[in-house]
Amino acid sequence: MKNILLFIFSLKMGLVLAQTKQPVYQDKPFLQDYSIKFYTKNDAVSPQKAFSDRNGNIKIYSSAGLLVPHDGQFLYAGNLIADNTYRTIQNKNIKGISLYEEQFVLLDDKTVFSNAWAGSLFAKHELSDAKLFVGGKNFNLLISNGKALQLIDKTQTLWKLSDFKDEIIDLKFQSSTNLFWILGRKSVSTFSAETKKTDVIFEGNNFTAFDFSTDNKNLYIGTNDGYFLVNIATKKQIGIKQTKLPTTEITTIKSIGEKVWFGTTNGAFALKKDGKFDYYNGERWLTSNQIKHISEGPENSVLIVSDKGLSQICFKQMTLHEKAVFFEKQVRSRHIRNGFNASLDNMEKGNLSTGYLADSDNDGLWTSMYLGAEIFRYVVTKDADALQNCRESLDAMERLYSINPIAGFPSRSFERSGFIQQLADPDRWQHSPDKEWDWKATTSSDEAIGHIFVYGAMAELIKDPDLKKRAVALIDTLMGHIVRNDLYLIDYDGKPTAWGRWNPSYVNAFPTNVGDRKLNSSNIIAMLQTAYYFTKKPIYKEKAFELMKKHGYFENLMRPMKQIGYAPEDADEHSKKMSDAWNHSDDEMYFLGYWGLYRYALNDTLKAHYGKAIIDHWQAERPEKEGLWNIFTAVTGTQNFELNEATWYLKEHPLDLIDWTIMNSHRKDIEKISTNFRSQTINEVLPPDERPIQRHNANMFNLDRTKGNGTSEHSAGDIWLLPYWLGRYLGVISQPQNK
């Protein structure tokens, strides 16, 4: 009776999952940020400030005079070169640059002048060592050398003060109050051009930068340890000093649009309306982390000056589909090696022209994931280009089986002969019967599950008879090898590979709370179900039921994730080694396997149970906000799979997939947590554009990347295109809504 009730419940559960209406993300344009970088050619040159005029021209004041950006574009850095636009000002001793009425205004040791207004602005001053100036109303100009102040206009000196009581570090003008504002190391003061009086507004210590809030009601004051706000009307500090920041040594502040930008000695960050920060650190975004100046740039951009050059952070309206188009080009132009989805390695500091296409232990897995993306893309769009991409990747995957002499065994990779010592893990490579090629052995379980996932997707969804036939044949080839060999992958030496092991004697040797027992059970059942679904060979179905009923694989794969953890003290050393921390590659294997586990379930009762297991796993993964896991969970038909977090992942992912050095562990705005089994380092995961570039098999809570700076570029094929096109196929991401 109990079993009958359970069966009825399972059927109802499956029906509920199937009938639940899922949410759909409407793909409307969002702001995508990216950086264009311009480096100084000479380390002795120190850039100081940059501005953009009403025409979109950019000029930079530096220790070597005026500079302009040259020849830069996204992913291809430019340089800062001498500004020769006006040869007639080359003899002037330029001391600074600013904007007035959106026109460039220059300061030298004798005058404030401009080439705008037909050159009519030529105001003399008496501070030969002047370094600061700002324009007020009617071309009134306040000038300082850090101690003295002078107010001038086009014709005369209107007022001067030879000994200001504080070291002056910045000047600003607020048109709403018609006041000049003076920042000192210990004070903020105002000066009225009408009354010729200065008034101290606020006093303190260690001031470094200031600017008005976006509504002009408050003043942001930066220090060497955070910032605080002062209400302009009351002249009182608002709340406490803010120190829970990405980094606290403030060097410059600028309000732009709805954000307040802060430059620091360790990158730049922007305060958003929701009180959180966008942090820009490392050469993904900046020429250097030592920030000198921030200003509004042309065409919805922000100019950030560092000691090494200029970074233009651009914001472009883009839909997810447009981002997908960009990434499709990235993959096809730089990341296809022998048909595989590959990384570009050994680059010279981000120079894409210097890298080579690298082999990988997981060429088959990364290509499976990219091929899956192109399958879903073709099903959604019927784009002939996507279908051709499928053919080319399948050619590579198919050849993994024929390039070695072992029946049904998939190589990890292959490459032209004669280069083994230059390839990754040279001891794993073997010579092919074809003397022109070598192949890589020791194939693992993550390769196998990737193969079965994508062959199943192709066999089910692609209507091309040839591709479908080849996909089914590959499923049968691989699974035939595994079943014939007692659920092992048998390598060239006649022995099982290190990880290609699904036999009960191996799987059930692990304690029940060791993850590999659950993982390997889940994967092999998914693989056998897929093989039966498409070949209808009874052996695959029989073997699946044998494992579930006789060897406890159903119980293994249904075990709740909360029970997975460290091996007990009396466990064998292998079990302890395999459970010293959560392996995020396991997540990748689980979720790729869930495609065949759920879609090709042997009956509806099992399907309902599998759906519960998938959702249980997803619950454990939710803190990572992993786009692919969230969207894979939608396969079950459940309504709640964190669609918002999935699209957050897709939108926040940077366009720049180069492995730049990234540092976050120093941040004071993140809440670190104690060491734990899942290696979660902070309370809330950082956005993808602030953390290291990672595949789905990495810990999304990784904070830093210190190995190499700009030496490799990841492919978007597996990282981004798979979750996007899977979401489009499942209907949880809409087609682009450009209007």
Short mmCIF file of all heavy atoms in Angstrom, two decimals, residues 354-384:
data_model
loop_
_atom_site.label_atom_id
_atom_site.label_comp_id
_atom_site.label_asym_id
_atom_site.label_seq_id
_atom_site.Cartn_x
_atom_site.Cartn_y
_atom_site.Cartn_z
N THR A 354 49.16 37.38 -29.94
CA THR A 354 50.37 36.65 -29.55
C THR A 354 50.11 35.27 -28.99
O THR A 354 51.05 34.52 -28.73
CB THR A 354 51.16 37.47 -28.50
OG1 THR A 354 50.34 37.65 -27.33
CG2 THR A 354 51.56 38.83 -29.05
N GLY A 355 48.86 34.90 -28.76
CA GLY A 355 48.56 33.63 -28.12
C GLY A 355 48.45 32.48 -29.10
O GLY A 355 48.39 32.67 -30.32
N TYR A 356 48.44 31.26 -28.57
CA TYR A 356 48.19 30.08 -29.40
C TYR A 356 47.03 29.28 -28.81
O TYR A 356 46.73 29.37 -27.63
CB TYR A 356 49.43 29.19 -29.51
CG TYR A 356 49.97 28.62 -28.22
CD1 TYR A 356 49.30 27.61 -27.52
CD2 TYR A 356 51.18 29.08 -27.71
CE1 TYR A 356 49.80 27.09 -26.34
CE2 TYR A 356 51.70 28.55 -26.52
CZ TYR A 356 51.01 27.56 -25.85
OH TYR A 356 51.51 27.05 -24.68
N LEU A 357 46.38 28.49 -29.66
CA LEU A 357 45.27 27.64 -29.23
C LEU A 357 45.83 26.44 -28.49
O LEU A 357 46.60 25.66 -29.04
CB LEU A 357 44.45 27.21 -30.44
CG LEU A 357 43.62 28.32 -31.07
CD1 LEU A 357 43.11 27.90 -32.45
CD2 LEU A 357 42.46 28.69 -30.17
N ALA A 358 45.43 26.32 -27.22
CA ALA A 358 46.03 25.31 -26.35
C ALA A 358 45.19 24.04 -26.27
O ALA A 358 43.96 24.08 -26.33
CB ALA A 358 46.21 25.88 -24.94
N ASP A 359 45.89 22.91 -26.14
CA ASP A 359 45.20 21.65 -25.86
C ASP A 359 44.79 21.64 -24.40
O ASP A 359 45.31 22.39 -23.58
CB ASP A 359 46.12 20.48 -26.15
CG ASP A 359 47.36 20.49 -25.26
OD1 ASP A 359 48.25 21.34 -25.49
OD2 ASP A 359 47.44 19.67 -24.34
N SER A 360 43.86 20.77 -24.05
CA SER A 360 43.35 20.70 -22.69
C SER A 360 43.01 19.27 -22.33
O SER A 360 42.64 18.46 -23.19
CB SER A 360 42.11 21.58 -22.55
OG SER A 360 41.39 21.28 -21.37
N ASP A 361 43.11 18.96 -21.03
CA ASP A 361 42.64 17.68 -20.51
C ASP A 361 41.18 17.45 -20.89
O ASP A 361 40.75 16.31 -21.06
CB ASP A 361 42.77 17.68 -18.99
CG ASP A 361 43.74 16.62 -18.52
OD1 ASP A 361 44.55 16.14 -19.34
OD2 ASP A 361 43.71 16.26 -17.33
N ASN A 362 40.44 18.52 -20.95
CA ASN A 362 38.99 18.42 -21.13
C ASN A 362 38.52 18.99 -22.47
O ASN A 362 37.46 19.60 -22.55
CB ASN A 362 38.27 19.13 -19.99
CG ASN A 362 38.52 18.48 -18.65
OD1 ASN A 362 39.07 19.08 -17.74
ND2 ASN A 362 38.11 17.23 -18.51
N ASP A 363 39.29 18.77 -23.51
CA ASP A 363 38.86 19.24 -24.83
C ASP A 363 37.48 18.71 -25.18
O ASP A 363 36.63 19.43 -25.73
CB ASP A 363 39.86 18.81 -25.91
CG ASP A 363 41.03 19.79 -26.04
OD1 ASP A 363 40.88 20.94 -25.60
OD2 ASP A 363 42.08 19.40 -26.57
N GLY A 364 37.24 17.44 -24.86
CA GLY A 364 35.94 16.85 -25.17
C GLY A 364 34.83 17.46 -24.35
O GLY A 364 33.72 17.69 -24.86
N LEU A 365 35.08 17.77 -23.08
CA LEU A 365 34.06 18.34 -22.22
C LEU A 365 33.73 19.77 -22.62
O LEU A 365 32.56 20.13 -22.76
CB LEU A 365 34.52 18.30 -20.77
CG LEU A 365 33.60 18.96 -19.74
CD1 LEU A 365 32.23 18.32 -19.74
CD2 LEU A 365 34.22 18.90 -18.35
N TRP A 366 34.77 20.61 -22.78
CA TRP A 366 34.50 22.02 -23.15
C TRP A 366 33.81 22.08 -24.51
O TRP A 366 32.95 22.94 -24.74
CB TRP A 366 35.79 22.82 -23.17
CG TRP A 366 36.65 22.72 -21.96
CD1 TRP A 366 38.02 22.68 -21.93
CD2 TRP A 366 36.24 22.65 -20.58
NE1 TRP A 366 38.47 22.58 -20.64
CE2 TRP A 366 37.40 22.56 -19.79
CE3 TRP A 366 35.00 22.64 -19.95
CZ2 TRP A 366 37.37 22.48 -18.40
CZ3 TRP A 366 34.96 22.55 -18.56
CH2 TRP A 366 36.11 22.47 -17.80
N THR A 367 34.18 21.18 -25.40
CA THR A 367 33.55 21.17 -26.72
C THR A 367 32.13 20.65 -26.63
O THR A 367 31.24 21.13 -27.35
CB THR A 367 34.39 20.33 -27.70
OG1 THR A 367 35.73 20.83 -27.70
CG2 THR A 367 33.83 20.41 -29.11
N SER A 368 31.88 19.68 -25.76
CA SER A 368 30.51 19.21 -25.55
C SER A 368 29.61 20.36 -25.13
O SER A 368 28.47 20.49 -25.61
CB SER A 368 30.48 18.12 -24.47
OG SER A 368 31.14 16.97 -24.88
N MET A 369 30.11 21.20 -24.24
CA MET A 369 29.30 22.29 -23.72
C MET A 369 29.06 23.36 -24.78
O MET A 369 27.96 23.91 -24.90
CB MET A 369 29.95 22.86 -22.47
CG MET A 369 30.04 21.83 -21.34
SD MET A 369 30.96 22.37 -19.89
CE MET A 369 29.76 23.45 -19.12
N TYR A 370 30.09 23.65 -25.57
CA TYR A 370 29.91 24.60 -26.67
C TYR A 370 28.99 24.02 -27.74
O TYR A 370 28.09 24.71 -28.25
CB TYR A 370 31.26 24.95 -27.28
CG TYR A 370 31.14 25.68 -28.60
CD1 TYR A 370 30.51 26.93 -28.68
CD2 TYR A 370 31.65 25.12 -29.77
CE1 TYR A 370 30.39 27.59 -29.90
CE2 TYR A 370 31.54 25.77 -30.98
CZ TYR A 370 30.91 27.00 -31.05
OH TYR A 370 30.78 27.66 -32.25
N LEU A 371 29.18 22.74 -28.06
CA LEU A 371 28.32 22.09 -29.04
C LEU A 371 26.87 22.10 -28.56
O LEU A 371 25.94 22.32 -29.35
CB LEU A 371 28.81 20.66 -29.29
CG LEU A 371 27.98 19.78 -30.23
CD1 LEU A 371 27.73 20.46 -31.56
CD2 LEU A 371 28.68 18.43 -30.43
N GLY A 372 26.67 21.89 -27.26
CA GLY A 372 25.32 21.98 -26.72
C GLY A 372 24.72 23.36 -26.95
O GLY A 372 23.55 23.49 -27.33
N ALA A 373 25.52 24.39 -26.74
CA ALA A 373 25.04 25.75 -26.98
C ALA A 373 24.61 25.93 -28.43
O ALA A 373 23.56 26.52 -28.72
CB ALA A 373 26.13 26.76 -26.62
N GLU A 374 25.40 25.42 -29.36
CA GLU A 374 25.08 25.59 -30.79
C GLU A 374 23.88 24.74 -31.20
O GLU A 374 23.11 25.14 -32.09
CB GLU A 374 26.31 25.24 -31.63
CG GLU A 374 27.47 26.21 -31.45
CD GLU A 374 27.07 27.65 -31.75
OE1 GLU A 374 26.88 28.00 -32.92
OE2 GLU A 374 26.93 28.43 -30.78
N ILE A 375 23.70 23.60 -30.55
CA ILE A 375 22.50 22.80 -30.80
C ILE A 375 21.25 23.59 -30.40
O ILE A 375 20.30 23.71 -31.17
CB ILE A 375 22.57 21.46 -30.05
CG1 ILE A 375 23.64 20.55 -30.66
CG2 ILE A 375 21.20 20.76 -30.04
CD1 ILE A 375 23.96 19.32 -29.83
N PHE A 376 21.26 24.13 -29.19
CA PHE A 376 20.11 24.90 -28.72
C PHE A 376 19.91 26.15 -29.56
O PHE A 376 18.77 26.54 -29.85
CB PHE A 376 20.28 25.26 -27.25
CG PHE A 376 20.39 24.06 -26.33
CD1 PHE A 376 21.40 23.98 -25.38
CD2 PHE A 376 19.49 23.02 -26.44
CE1 PHE A 376 21.50 22.88 -24.54
CE2 PHE A 376 19.59 21.91 -25.61
CZ PHE A 376 20.59 21.84 -24.66
N ARG A 377 21.01 26.76 -29.97
CA ARG A 377 20.91 27.95 -30.83
C ARG A 377 20.24 27.60 -32.16
O ARG A 377 19.37 28.33 -32.63
CB ARG A 377 22.32 28.51 -31.08
CG ARG A 377 22.35 29.68 -32.06
CD ARG A 377 23.79 30.08 -32.38
NE ARG A 377 23.83 30.96 -33.53
CZ ARG A 377 24.88 31.10 -34.34
NH1 ARG A 377 26.00 30.41 -34.09
NH2 ARG A 377 24.84 31.92 -35.37
N TYR A 378 20.64 26.47 -32.74
CA TYR A 378 20.05 26.09 -34.02
C TYR A 378 18.57 25.77 -33.88
O TYR A 378 17.75 26.17 -34.72
CB TYR A 378 20.78 24.88 -34.62
CG TYR A 378 20.14 24.42 -35.90
CD1 TYR A 378 20.22 25.19 -37.06
CD2 TYR A 378 19.41 23.23 -35.93
CE1 TYR A 378 19.59 24.78 -38.22
CE2 TYR A 378 18.78 22.81 -37.10
CZ TYR A 378 18.88 23.59 -38.24
OH TYR A 378 18.25 23.19 -39.39
N VAL A 379 18.21 25.06 -32.82
CA VAL A 379 16.80 24.72 -32.61
C VAL A 379 15.96 25.98 -32.48
O VAL A 379 14.84 26.06 -33.00
CB VAL A 379 16.65 23.83 -31.36
CG1 VAL A 379 15.18 23.60 -31.04
CG2 VAL A 379 17.36 22.50 -31.56
N VAL A 380 16.50 27.00 -31.83
CA VAL A 380 15.76 28.24 -31.60
C VAL A 380 15.72 29.11 -32.85
O VAL A 380 14.68 29.68 -33.20
CB VAL A 380 16.38 29.04 -30.43
CG1 VAL A 380 15.80 30.44 -30.34
CG2 VAL A 380 16.17 28.29 -29.12
N THR A 381 16.84 29.22 -33.55
CA THR A 381 16.97 30.21 -34.63
C THR A 381 16.91 29.61 -36.03
O THR A 381 16.67 30.33 -36.99
CB THR A 381 18.29 30.96 -34.50
OG1 THR A 381 19.39 30.05 -34.73
CG2 THR A 381 18.42 31.60 -33.12
N LYS A 382 17.19 28.31 -36.15
CA LYS A 382 17.33 27.64 -37.45
C LYS A 382 18.43 28.29 -38.30
O LYS A 382 18.41 28.23 -39.54
CB LYS A 382 16.00 27.64 -38.21
CG LYS A 382 14.89 26.89 -37.50
CD LYS A 382 15.26 25.41 -37.33
CE LYS A 382 14.13 24.60 -36.75
NZ LYS A 382 13.86 24.91 -35.33
N ASP A 383 19.40 28.88 -37.65
CA ASP A 383 20.52 29.54 -38.32
C ASP A 383 21.44 28.49 -38.92
O ASP A 383 21.96 27.62 -38.22
CB ASP A 383 21.27 30.40 -37.30
CG ASP A 383 22.29 31.32 -37.95
OD1 ASP A 383 22.84 30.96 -39.01
OD2 ASP A 383 22.55 32.40 -37.39
N ALA A 384 21.67 28.57 -40.23
CA ALA A 384 22.53 27.60 -40.91
C ALA A 384 23.95 27.63 -40.37
O ALA A 384 24.65 26.61 -40.37
CB ALA A 384 22.52 27.86 -42.41
#
